[in-house]
Amino acid sequence: MLVQVPDILAADEVAHFRATLDRAEWGDGRSTAGPQAAQVKNNLQLSEDHPVARELGEIILRKLARHPLFTSAALPLKVFPPLFNRYEGGASFGMHIDTAVRYTSLPPHRVRTDLSATLFLSDPQEYDGGELTVEDTYGVHKVKLPAGHLILYPASSLHAVTPVTRGARIAAFFWVQSMIREDARRTLLFDMDCAIQRLNRDVPNHPSLVQLTGVYHNLLRAWAEL
Ligand code: NI
């Protein structure tokens, strides 16, 4: 399931991110890629422990923790400290799959990558190309969102970033270990949560809402891995 999460960052926050990132020194993006991905990766990144990456990453983590749609869709247990990348001058990232378990030293722990996330920091009109291309059983999806918006997709999907032929595509990216490992179960819970929230708005006092909410929590209790 691909889920768009709008408005993680407001316009003034995006502007702050961009100004801060413009002053940072960027390195080779292959430093965080596994051997297969490194062969097809051609972009710039901030190192994981770069002070700018840490400062802005902390802001993103605080925003995610307060975002109801992100929480409902990802059911996060752990979020990998966000990284930042930059594609320009024809840079691209060919088809690859993300490493299943990632290690971070901030603080030292491992994260199973159930979900991959890209937070766009450039607006679509600022660059040509640079679509995130995600393959799933329903075909190929091309994603290019406004700055400040996030896409969440199963980390088990093959994906790529097409060459950026004009301007620069700047983004944050990270992974989520979900309390619900399986995409199919997480999707069921997300669909149920969305339906319950809609019913709460439209028929707020219907007695079945208590029962449905109970079913949601009992499924979460049965499936959650902490
Ligand atoms: Ni990837």
Side-chain angles (χ1 to χ4, degrees):
M1 174 184 56
L2 272 73
V3 181
Q4 291 188 21
V5 186
D7 303 318
I8 298 284
L9 298 176
D12 59 327
E13 293 164 330
V14 171
H16 167 66
F17 271 54
R18 290 287 298 276
T20 309
L21 289 166
D22 278 349
R23 292 193 298 270
E25 320 79 44
W26 294 79
D28 189 331
R30 280 173 293 200
S31 59
T32 57
Q36 187 276 326
Q39 290 172 29
V40 291
K41 189 174 186 182
N42 161 32
N43 67 358
L44 297 174
Q45 260 178 225
L46 288 190
S47 65
E48 184 183 339
D49 55 0
H50 194 293
V52 164
R54 295 297 33 93
E55 176 199 331
L56 301 181
E58 283 298 322
I59 297 175
I60 294 172
L61 292 177
R62 284 201 297 276
K63 296 278 181 182
L64 295 176
R66 290 202 301 263
H67 202 294
L69 180 58
F70 173 79
T71 304
S72 173
L75 293 168
L77 178 64
K78 301 180 201 172
V79 181
F80 195 89
L83 296 166
F84 295 84
N85 60 17
R86 181 181 183 102
Y87 293 80
E88 60 192 329
S92 63
F93 195 166
M95 261 316 160
H96 68 280
I97 200 141
D98 291 344
T99 306
V101 177
R102 298 199 76 102
Y103 176 79
T104 172
S105 55
L106 307 163
H109 68 291
R110 287 186 174 79
V111 176
R112 188 187 63 232
T113 58
D114 297 323
L115 289 157
S116 297
T118 298
L119 172 62
F120 289 80
L121 296 171
S122 300
D123 268 316
Q125 60 270 23
E126 292 182 71
Y127 59 99
D128 290 333
E131 283 95 1
L132 172 68
T133 305
V134 182
E135 282 187 10
D136 67 12
T137 46
Y138 297 107
V140 176
H141 309 272
K142 289 193 177 257
V143 184
K144 194 169 178 175
L145 299 181
H149 293 213
L150 177 95
I151 185 83
L152 266 178
Y153 57 99
S156 52
S157 326
L158 281 171
H159 58 277
V161 176
T162 62
V164 172
T165 54
R166 177 186 64 88
R169 175 199 193 268
I170 297 157
F173 64 103
F174 54 90
W175 298 272
V176 179
Q177 179 171 337
S178 176
M179 292 185 284
I180 306 297
R181 179 197 293 243
E182 276 181 49
D183 187 52
R185 287 182 170 181
R186 203 182 318 109
T187 303
L188 283 173
L189 287 169
F190 180 54
D191 285 348
M192 185 181 279
D193 191 27
C194 291
I196 290 170
Q197 287 184 42
R198 212 170 302 129
L199 285 172
N200 258 320
R201 274 198 309 272
D202 297 347
V203 276
N205 297 314
H206 197 287
S208 293
L209 271 170
V210 177
Q211 231 171 344
L212 278 173
T213 305
V215 170
Y216 174 86
H217 282 284
N218 287 333
L219 283 174
L220 184 56
R221 201 184 328 273
W223 292 342
E225 296 172 59
L226 307 177

